[in-house]
Every structure is written in C-alpha cells, then in structure tokens.
C-alpha cells in the first residue's frame, strides 16, 4: 500500500468525503471516488473460497432433491410473471405469517443486490446474530438461494422445508386463479425456514422490481436500494424513474432507506416515496460513502464513512469500485439496523467490521477459477454490470490480452453488454448456455460482429468448446505473456462454466 510522503500536510489536502458529495448523483462506473492506489500492486488472486454447494453425496438425498427440483420446474418460471402479491400473501396466511417472526433487511436495485446481501449477512453474523439470507438466481445449486447462518441450507433441510409447506402450497393453488410460481414457492420456503431456524434477522433480495415482487410480504426495518439502471424494461418501465417507482415499493412505513448513488430521476422517486411513508433516508455520497480505496492483493483496501463515523483500512476480498460502493451500502444498512445514527451515535466495532468484510465471498463476481491462463467469471448481464466488470478487471488484473466468452439471455440488452466489454476484449468467443432463455449463438454472433468486427469474433455454440477456444487464444502469446479469459453474460453461463472448470 502506498503511504503519504514524510512532508505530507493533511491540512493542505481536500477532504475525500467532500469530493464524494460534489460528485454527480448519476452512478457512472468511470467516476471512481478515489483513484486506486499503486498500479504496481496487482493481483491474480480472488476472494475466499465461495460457498457453492455441490450435489449431495448421498444418492438417496440427491434423488429426493432432484424430485423437488422437478416439481418446482412444473411451475411458472421466474421470467413469467403476474404482477400481484395475492398468492404469496395467501400462502403466508395459511403458514401462520412466518415472515413476521423476525426483523428483515429488504434489498432492491438493478445491480449489486446479491453481493450487498452477502456483505450484510457477513456483518450481522460477525455481530453474533443468526441470519437467514434469500437471494436469486443461483449460480449452480438451487439450495444457494436460502442460507442460514452464512451457509447454504443443507439439501436435507431444503427437502424437508418443501415437504412441510407442500400441502399448504397445494391449498393455495386450488384457491387462486393461477398456481403459485417457482419463485413464490421458494420465497415461502425461505420465510418458513428462517422462522424455523429461528433467524434473528432476514436479509432478503427481491427477485424483480419491488412493489409486486413475491418477497414484498415483509415489512423491512431497513430498505436498501442498490444502483438503479435500465433492465427488465419490458416489465418495470423504460426510464430510471419508472423502474424506481416499482422498486420503491419495498419502502415501508417508518423504515430506514439506505440509498446507493442513483440517477437523479430515480433518486427523486425514491425520496418522494420515503416522505410519503415517513421513512428516514441515508444517501451514499452524503450520509455515508467510500472515502478511499486502494488495489490490494486479492481485492482492495477501503476506508468507509458510515452513519456512525469512519472505518479505515477495511480489507475487501472483491475487485472493483462497484464492490467498494456495495460495501459502503452494506455497512450503512447494518448500522441502520442496529440504530446507529438514530438511537445511538457510536460506530460499530471496527475490528468486527474488518473481520466480517475480510471473509466475504461473492461467487461468480470477478471470481478466479483457474490459473495459467487465468480464467475469471463474472455474472454481468446488462450494460451497467458490464461497464463495472470491465473497469474492475482492468484495474485488478494485469492482462496483456483478454479473451471474452459471452453467453447471454435473449431478453437482455445484449448489444449494450457487448459494447461495455469491447474496449477490454481483444477477441470474443460467443456461445450459449443450456437455458431455454439463452440467445442463439449465431444470433449473438451477428450482434458481436457489428460491435467487435468479424476478425475479433469466434462462434462456438457449445460452452465447453467456447471455453477451450478462449483458453487456447489466451495461451497464444506464451506462458508468461499474461493472457486471460473472462466468462460473462449470464448467471447461468457463469454457473455452467464453473462446473466445467471443476469448481463444484
């Protein structure tokens, strides 16, 4: 880490936090609050080993889990929605309102929700609270979506939870115009599992939007809004303001709102909703934020300004300015949960905060899964996520030549995603994952050729072939030339690549 020279005079220097406040509210990844530290301190490392469960070793348990997965697959998928919380509310009613048995932190936004949820979970756990975390989608195993005490729910418990609520699910199915969806049943399972644990606090990520999302039968004591951008525009709206209107639905009466940096029109919508329900708002860049960040081995060293004061030299084993911003949001959310800035003025214990952040992992988010050449996975699936990943990989890794492997969903802004990566990919191998939502590789190639030029695009419809081709291209410059591979475009693509590369 770089240190200040001996003749440094702090009084002559501007306050970094004042610089945050002076920034535009539009969250542009190019507007890093503080330039990263010494560029000679690079890394080929990654976060701690990710907690991605494998298939159960016991054949009987594996068979039972597959039967549950098969039954869930007969329901509406996550992309087919009927905007209403009536079905999930009916399920909660017959289950005895399990979601009311613990306080909750509710998270919405466009990007960064899962990483932020994992950071919040780690902080709460470090302060000896029993946590339940519900996130989506999963990278490899459906059991990842429900975590208890910082670890994915055991497959046996997942199966048991499903069997416990199944009669009530069928009861609600019979009384509603439409059956409960895949996501609604999983949400019911999560809330029931948290109550049964019992959890001291639930950390819940919305599936999509907010107002009519299945998770929105909780009254979150803290509502977190990560950066809003254009995604799911066919369902949530075509402008930042329209999307923010849907996401503002998680802000409940008297809650505390932790708001990441937002486009101006989105921020106006969120603030208006907060006033309507008498919620307290803390804004990144004003009440809290990132004071300083430096690239470090395996991640970054950050100084965060929280609601209760400053937290210096916090090691975060994740790459990119966007993850530092997520960390600031997560810290403020946990402070708000504990009443810092309201009932109490003192900051959280610094050593505990440092210990919690140092243990954070976020699978599929600039995750290194192979060396020689280095292969990195990132689940970016929209232009904003692509820009953040492109900036971060340039900052954290010293690749002389980066090859992209991209498999995207057909309902995404694929051109915008590819344009985000065009400056950093020397070549791109386009492919497709096994999902029915996957864009056909040839169709994706047509768009990629328009963005990259024909000479920089290779088509390999099968993901294993795409990975092999990209690794071969990265090795062309020689063993010590610093070539790398980034696999991106979809959580599903990343999950399947992770399995193919021997992780899980």
């Amino acid at each position: 880490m770089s240190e200040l020279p001996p003749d440094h005079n702090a009084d002559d220097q501007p306050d970094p936090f004042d610089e945050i406040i002076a920034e535009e509210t539009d969250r542009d990844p190019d507007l890093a609050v503080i330039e990263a530290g010494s560029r000679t301190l690079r890394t080929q490392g990654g976060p701690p080993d990710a907690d991605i469960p494998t298939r159960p070793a016991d054949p009987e348990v594996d068979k039972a889990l597959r039967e549950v997965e098969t039954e869930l697959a007969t329901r509406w998928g996550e992309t087919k929605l009927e905007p209403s919380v009536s079905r999930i509310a009916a399920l909660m009613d017959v289950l005895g309102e399990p979601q009311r048995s613990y306080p909750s932190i509710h998270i919405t936004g466009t990007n960064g929700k899962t990483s932020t949820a994992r950071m919040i979970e780690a902080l709460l756990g470090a302060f000896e609270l029993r946590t339940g975390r519900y996130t989506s989608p999963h990278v490899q195993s459906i059991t990842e979506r429900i975590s208890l005490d910082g670890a994915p729910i055991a497959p046996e418990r997942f199966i048991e939870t499903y069997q416990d609520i199944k009669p009530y699910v069928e009861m609600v199915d019979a009384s509603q115009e439409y059956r409960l969806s895949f996501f609604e049943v999983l949400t019911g399972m999560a809330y029931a599992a948290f109550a049964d644990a019992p959890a001291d606090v639930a950390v819940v990520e919305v599936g999509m939007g907010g107002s009519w999302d299945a998770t929105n039968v909780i009254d979150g004591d803290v509502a977190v809004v990560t950066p809003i951008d254009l995604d799911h525009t066919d369902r949530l709206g075509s402008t930042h303001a329209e999307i923010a209107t849907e996401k503002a639905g998680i802000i409940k009466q008297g809650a505390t709102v932790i708001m990441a940096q937002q486009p101006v029109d989105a921020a106006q919508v969120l603030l208006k909703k907060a006033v309507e329900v008498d919620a307290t708002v803390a804004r990144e860049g004003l009440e809290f934020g990132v004071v300083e960040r430096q690239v470090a081995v395996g991640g970054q060293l950050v100084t965060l300004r929280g609601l209760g004061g400053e937290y210096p030299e916090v090691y975060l084993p994740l790459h990119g300015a966007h993850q530092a911003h997520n960390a600031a949001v997560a810290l403020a959310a946990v402070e708000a949960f504990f009443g810092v800035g309201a009932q109490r003025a003192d900051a959280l214990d610094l050593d505990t905060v440092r210990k919690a952040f140092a243990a954070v992992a976020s699978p599929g988010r600039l995750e290194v899964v192979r060396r020689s050449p280095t292969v990195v996975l990132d689940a970016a699936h929209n232009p904003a996520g692509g820009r953040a990943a492109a900036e971060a990989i340039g900052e954290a890794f010293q690749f002389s030549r980066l090859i992209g492997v991209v498999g995207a969903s057909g309902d995404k802004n694929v051109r915008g995603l590819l344009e985000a990566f065009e400056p950093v990919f020397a070549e791109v191998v386009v492919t497709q994952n096994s999902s029915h939502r996957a864009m056909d590789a040839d169709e994706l190639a047509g768009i990629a050729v328009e963005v990259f030029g024909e000479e920089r695009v290779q088509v390999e419809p099968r993901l294993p072939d795409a990975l092999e081709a990209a690794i071969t291209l990265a090795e062309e410059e020689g063993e010590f030339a610093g070539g790398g591979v980034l696999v991106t475009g979809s959580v599903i693509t990343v999950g399947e690549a992770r399995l193919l590369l021997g992780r899980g």
Side-chain angles (χ1 to χ4, degrees):
M1 306 306 154
S2 58
E3 295 182 350
L4 297 175
D7 60 349
H8 171 77
N9 183 349
D11 293 334
D12 295 334
Q13 301 298 317
D15 182 356
F17 204 71
D18 290 340
E19 296 179 14
I20 301 175
I21 297 173
E23 292 283 9
E24 296 180 35
T25 57
D26 190 351
R27 174 76 179 275
D28 186 332
D30 290 334
L31 296 178
V33 175
I34 301 294
E35 274 297 314
S38 171
R39 286 301 188 269
T40 63
L41 187 55
R42 302 282 183 162
T43 176
Q44 296 294 313
D49 288 341
D51 54 344
I52 295 291
T54 59
R55 297 300 307 184
D58 186 328
E60 292 302 316
V61 176
D62 187 51
K63 178 183 177 183
L65 180 58
R66 289 185 188 279
E67 288 173 353
V68 172
E69 291 170 326
T70 299
E71 289 187 25
L72 288 170
T74 66
R75 297 179 175 275
W76 275 0
E78 290 170 281
T79 59
K80 185 173 182 180
L81 304 168
E82 195 274 321
S84 168
V85 294
S86 60
R87 292 176 302 280
I88 187 67
L91 179 60
M92 293 296 100
D93 182 56
V94 297
L95 289 176
E97 304 289 346
Q99 82 282 14
R100 308 290 182 201
S101 63
Y102 39 78
S104 56
I105 297 175
H106 206 177
I107 307 168
T108 190
T110 301
N111 291 310
K113 297 187 295 296
T114 298
S115 293
T116 302
R118 283 176 166 272
M119 293 179 196
I120 292 172
E121 174 190 49
L123 284 163
L124 293 169
F127 285 98
E128 301 184 352
L129 291 182
R130 297 203 68 190
T131 57
R133 172 174 55 83
Y134 182 52
T135 53
S136 61
H138 57 274
V139 176
Q140 288 177 199
S141 171
I142 194 171
T143 59
E144 296 166 37
R145 295 179 180 234
I146 303 173
S147 285
L148 298 170
D149 291 324
I153 189 171
E156 295 87 350
R157 195 164 187 177
F158 184 90
I159 296 162
E160 181 183 354
T161 302
Y162 176 75
Q163 296 299 341
D164 283 347
I165 76 165
K166 183 178 177 180
Y168 301 97
V169 168
E170 292 172 345
M171 187 186 307
V172 173
D173 284 343
S175 67
Q176 298 288 318
E177 182 180 1
Y178 303 105
R179 296 171 69 213
L180 288 156
S181 70
F182 169 88
F183 187 73
E184 287 169 334
V185 174
L186 278 176
T187 302
M189 289 173 61
Y191 290 162
F194 298 162
D196 185 60
D200 294 321
V201 54
V203 182
V204 178
E205 173 190 335
V206 304
M208 187 185 300
S211 297
W212 41 260
D213 186 74
T215 62
N216 203 29
V217 288
I218 56 172
D219 292 326
D221 301 77
V222 178
V224 176
V225 187
T226 66
I228 290 173
D229 212 295
L230 302 181
D231 199 10
H232 301 294
T233 53
D234 56 330
R235 300 177 180 89
L236 302 180
S238 58
T239 68
H240 292 117
E242 289 174 348
I243 294 172
T245 299
E246 289 295 333
K247 294 184 182 294
I250 74 163
I251 301 173
K252 305 297 174 59
Q253 188 71 35
T256 300
V257 182
I258 304 300
M259 196 169 80
Q261 292 178 7
Q262 303 290 349
V264 174
D265 52 349
Q268 290 172 338
V269 169
L270 296 170
L271 292 170
K272 180 181 178 182
K273 177 60 182 287
V275 170
E276 290 173 356
V277 298
D278 196 28
T280 302
V281 178
R283 298 153 294 177
E284 183 183 6
L286 293 174
E287 286 77 27
F288 69 93
V290 179
V291 175
E292 185 177 9
R293 53 182 297 269
Q294 296 178 327
V295 176
V297 175
Q300 54 193 305
L301 193 69
V302 298
T303 295
L304 304 176
R305 176 71 61 86
L307 305 179
E310 196 164 289
Y311 298 80
E313 297 185 343
V314 175
Y315 175 67
L316 180 66
L318 301 174
H319 302 295
H322 61 295
Q323 293 290 17
H325 286 281
N326 290 339
V329 170
L331 176 62
V334 173
E335 286 184 309
F337 181 80
F338 285 124
V340 175
Q343 291 87 12
R344 51 183 281 194
D346 56 314
L348 300 177
D349 179 72
L350 177 59
D351 288 339
T352 304
V353 169
R354 285 173 171 166
K355 179 181 177 182
F357 276 120
V360 167
S362 194
R365 278 72 180 177
L366 289 177
E367 179 187 13
V368 177
V369 292
R370 175 189 160 137
R371 314 279 181 175
S372 300
T374 299
V375 178
V376 184
L377 308 180
D378 192 84
H381 56 272
N382 56 42
R387 290 192 297 270
E391 179 190 19
I393 204 163
E395 173 185 90
F397 299 88
Q398 199 170 18
F399 292 130
S400 59
R401 186 163 179 259
L402 181 63
I403 310 300
V405 174
V406 180
S409 296
D411 57 349
K412 297 296 182 181
N413 180 357
V414 175
R415 180 180 295 277
L417 178 70
L418 292 173
E419 288 173 344
F421 284 114
E422 192 278 331
V424 298
F425 285 166
E427 296 182 57
V428 60
V429 182
V430 298
T431 187
Q432 63 190 73
N433 58 55
S434 63
S435 168
H436 67 279
R437 295 171 55 203
M439 176 175 281
D440 179 78
D442 289 332
E443 182 182 356
L444 178 57
I447 302 172
V449 166
E450 294 176 4
V451 174
F452 289 87
E454 187 173 357
E455 69 283 355
R456 294 169 64 193
V457 178
Q458 183 171 331
V459 185
E460 294 290 350
R462 295 180 65 252
L463 182 57
D465 296 337
L467 292 172
E468 183 178 355
I471 289 169
T472 300
L473 287 169
E475 290 174 334
E476 282 184 352
E477 291 186 339
E479 183 180 357
F480 303 105
V485 175
L486 176 64
V487 183
T488 189
S490 163
V491 175
I492 298 169
T493 301
V494 163
E496 292 180 355
R498 205 173 186 279
L499 279 170
L500 288 167
L501 293 166
R503 297 297 292 267

